[in-house]
Amino acid sequence: MAAAGGLGVLQGCSVRLATAYFARLGQGMVTDGSGPRMSSVSWRHCWTSSNAGVGLRRTYGTEAKGEEELRVRYLEEENKGIVVLGINRSSAKNALSKNLIKMLSKAVDTLKSDKKVRTVIVRSEVPGVFCAGADLKERTQMNLKEVGSFVSKSRALMNEMANLPVPTIAAIDGIALGGGLELALACDIRVAASSAKMGLVETKLAIIPGAGGTQRLPRAIGMALAKEMIFSARVLDGQEAKSIGLISHVLEQNEMGDAAYRKALALAREFLPQVDLVTGLAIEEACYAQTIPTKDRLEGLLAFKEKRPPRYKGE
């Protein structure tokens, strides 16, 4: 995973066996703005207006850099339940630094236990880029132990993202290379502008994808095509990515440079009317609890033990 390439030596990567749940269908599309800037602090709460309504933004950042590297916005009104993770590290093309990995991990950890969250969109708030991969300038300052730790934490982040119990959508409105594409691959759905550029280009740096790319790319496009992309370090545009199934939707870029985000938001709004996994599991638990004190449940267990047909009475 790298700004021009990769994360490091591949280690074992667990891949979830099943999607938390699939699309929750509905309809609608809405635009959204990024809102006013704030000074960067950890977990500052404020209200910000947008075309999509009013939403609570939780901001992560570093005081030293004076930049909101991650903007977490809880949309409101007709978009309530949608959370937008906006990567905003313009000085480094959204490259994944140790600090950004830490902030993303903290945000994802919070989202997984928030029962009000229904869909998560990962996007860039930097024009022309989704995520350029790992921060290679920072990488040159790391020793071997630090590199290994960074790779492990990056891989853990991708797994955490992949295991969120709600649908996740990557809105790729610009370049997504190395770890940037691995972040998108960790999402359930990927949409991109036709002008976007995507690739696992780690082999150009004499390494291989290390944050799940060797596992998730074959599952998305098939083994042969995944090998071809990784071996060649090939970069695809949106149309090419759509043709091989790497993304679900491709859009012509608009003047605002957020065509993919708008499509992601439209999809997220379609999902909102449906029952989410947390609610579904709660319903299942409540229904199952009603069977526990029944005589028929005990009769079923006794019949199984005695190897005879059960004699249920509806009690």
Side-chain angles (χ1 to χ4, degrees):
M1 176 175 70
L7 254 178
V9 178
L10 177 68
Q11 299 176 8
C13 177
S14 61
V15 178
R16 83 179 150 179
L17 299 179
T19 308
Y21 64 89
F22 296 96
R24 294 174 284 180
L25 303 178
Q27 61 182 354
M29 180 173 181
V30 68
T31 61
D32 180 63
S34 60
R37 277 184 79 81
M38 303 183 297
S39 60
S40 297
V41 295
S42 177
W43 280 100
R44 171 175 294 182
H45 292 221
C46 78
W47 293 96
T48 178
S49 298
S50 71
N51 294 334
V54 179
L56 178 64
R57 180 200 292 171
R58 293 174 177 172
T59 300
Y60 297 78
T62 51
E63 293 284 0
K65 294 182 180 179
E67 180 180 44
E68 299 171 55
E69 294 188 349
L70 181 64
R71 296 173 177 175
V72 182
R73 291 185 296 121
Y74 286 64
L75 304 188
E76 290 292 337
E77 298 179 355
E78 70 268 30
N79 300 305
K80 189 171 184 178
I82 300 173
V83 177
V84 180
L85 298 182
I87 305 175
N88 185 46
R89 195 166 180 244
S90 59
S91 60
K93 297 183 179 180
N94 287 348
L96 297 169
S97 63
K98 291 188 290 185
N99 188 58
L100 183 54
I101 290 291
K102 180 180 179 180
M103 291 188 289
L104 282 165
S105 295
K106 185 175 181 180
V108 171
D109 186 61
T110 299
L111 293 175
K112 71 182 180 184
S113 58
D114 190 339
K115 295 183 179 180
K116 295 180 180 179
V117 177
R118 303 288 293 278
T119 304
V120 175
I121 297 173
V122 182
R123 68 168 299 194
S124 167
E125 299 199 6
V126 178
V129 61
F130 176 74
C131 174
D135 189 333
L136 292 183
K137 290 183 179 179
E138 183 182 70
R139 175 72 61 82
T140 60
Q141 305 301 316
M142 297 181 190
N143 58 39
L144 293 179
K145 183 177 180 180
E146 290 173 327
V147 171
S149 175
F150 177 79
V151 172
S152 295
K153 290 178 181 178
S154 299
R155 187 180 304 119
L157 167 63
M158 306 310 173
N159 289 339
E160 290 163 5
M161 178 68 71
N163 287 322
L164 276 175
V166 295
T168 52
I169 308 171
I172 307 171
D173 275 306
I175 61 172
L177 303 178
L181 181 54
E182 287 178 305
L183 178 60
L185 284 167
C187 295
D188 297 310
I189 301 165
R190 289 165 294 283
V191 298
S194 58
S195 58
K197 302 296 182 182
M198 290 159 272
L200 294 180
V201 294
E202 286 83 351
T203 54
K204 287 187 177 180
L205 294 180
I207 52 178
I208 64 174
T214 66
Q215 303 303 305
R216 293 192 176 95
L217 186 62
R219 286 163 171 77
I221 66 174
M223 185 65 73
L225 282 174
K227 286 181 177 180
E228 185 176 327
M229 279 190 65
I230 293 172
F231 295 163
S232 66
R234 185 174 301 149
V235 175
L236 308 178
D237 62 24
Q239 292 290 353
E240 292 169 323
K242 175 66 168 62
S243 70
I244 64 173
L246 179 55
I247 62 175
S248 301
H249 301 275
V250 60
L251 303 308
E252 289 299 320
Q253 191 55 279
N254 57 31
E255 292 183 2
M256 297 296 293
D258 65 351
Y261 170 64
R262 293 190 186 210
K263 180 61 177 179
L265 191 56
L267 290 172
R269 292 191 70 194
E270 287 186 54
F271 301 164
L272 289 179
Q274 312 310 316
V275 176
D276 61 285
L277 179 63
V278 174
T279 302
L281 291 174
I283 293 172
E284 178 186 280
E285 180 180 9
C287 293
Y288 189 92
Q290 296 180 44
T291 70
I292 294 176
T294 64
K295 293 180 180 179
D296 281 350
R297 185 185 72 85
L298 297 176
E299 166 61 15
L301 290 174
L302 184 61
F304 177 79
K305 179 180 180 181
E306 297 176 352
K307 298 181 180 180
R308 61 172 174 79
R311 295 186 288 272
Y312 296 130
K313 298 180 180 181
E315 298 178 355

